[in-house]
Amino acid sequence: DEGKQFFVRRIDFSGNTTTRDKVIRRELLVQEGMLFNSRLWELSILRLNRLDYFDKLAPDKASDIQPNNNDSTVDIALAVKEKGKNTIGFNGGVSGLSGSFIGFNYQTNNFMGRGETLTFDAQLGSLERNILIGLAHPYMFDRPLQGGFTFFSRRYNFNEANQANIFAGQDLRLEEFLGGENIQNYRQSSVGFNMFASYPLRN
């Protein structure tokens, strides 16, 4: 026999020291005022685990469901634990084509607790410089509309005589033999940005 129906009276969260309340709430398929459905609540926990903002949640351990038989309501308390969300990297080296360089990259999938993905990548060298900044938001205007942008700046200085000397391991003095007008030296620069947006047709 089907048991008594309960309506959700209140949903509380604890442990989200960084992630904002609405970032968690928008992943829930069970909302306050709705008829409680255990299957939808399990799917809600699955959606939260997919975000990868918290340690893995188990429906029977992370959530405390308290029914009230007097007024046919249920209160849900969900306990989460924030996990590391930042990735930082350093690199450097010497290359025949790129010269000496150092690099730094940073990425977070929950920028300021808003659920945004921020990416910053920079590589600075004697011949080449690359900078990239990107930001993606999964719920623009509080709708499942994912959008964002990427800004990039690239610069490369090419010196044919210097490259030939590096590969040969000695000073070939190409300027004297070929003449300055025959040496291919150039600077290549590009600056731009990309924008994107996507909307799911169905869940």
Side-chain angles (χ1 to χ4, degrees), residues 80-108:
V80 299
K81 183 179 180 181
E82 302 272 6
K83 64 184 298 185
K85 60 185 181 300
N86 301 323
T87 302
I88 300 176
F90 295 93
N91 60 77
V94 178
S95 169
L97 294 177
S98 301
S100 58
F101 66 91
I102 58 173
F104 169 79
N105 61 78
Y106 169 80
Q107 185 178 43
T108 176

Side-chain angles (χ1 to χ4, degrees), residues 54-102:
F54 316 106
D55 289 345
K56 186 175 180 180
L57 301 170
D60 56 338
K61 295 181 179 180
S63 54
D64 182 19
I65 302 175
Q66 295 292 338
N68 188 337
N69 291 312
N70 295 329
D71 56 3
S72 300
T73 60
V74 62
D75 292 336
I76 305 174
L78 178 64
V80 299
K81 183 179 180 181
E82 302 272 6
K83 64 184 298 185
K85 60 185 181 300
N86 301 323
T87 302
I88 300 176
F90 295 93
N91 60 77
V94 178
S95 169
L97 294 177
S98 301
S100 58
F101 66 91
I102 58 173

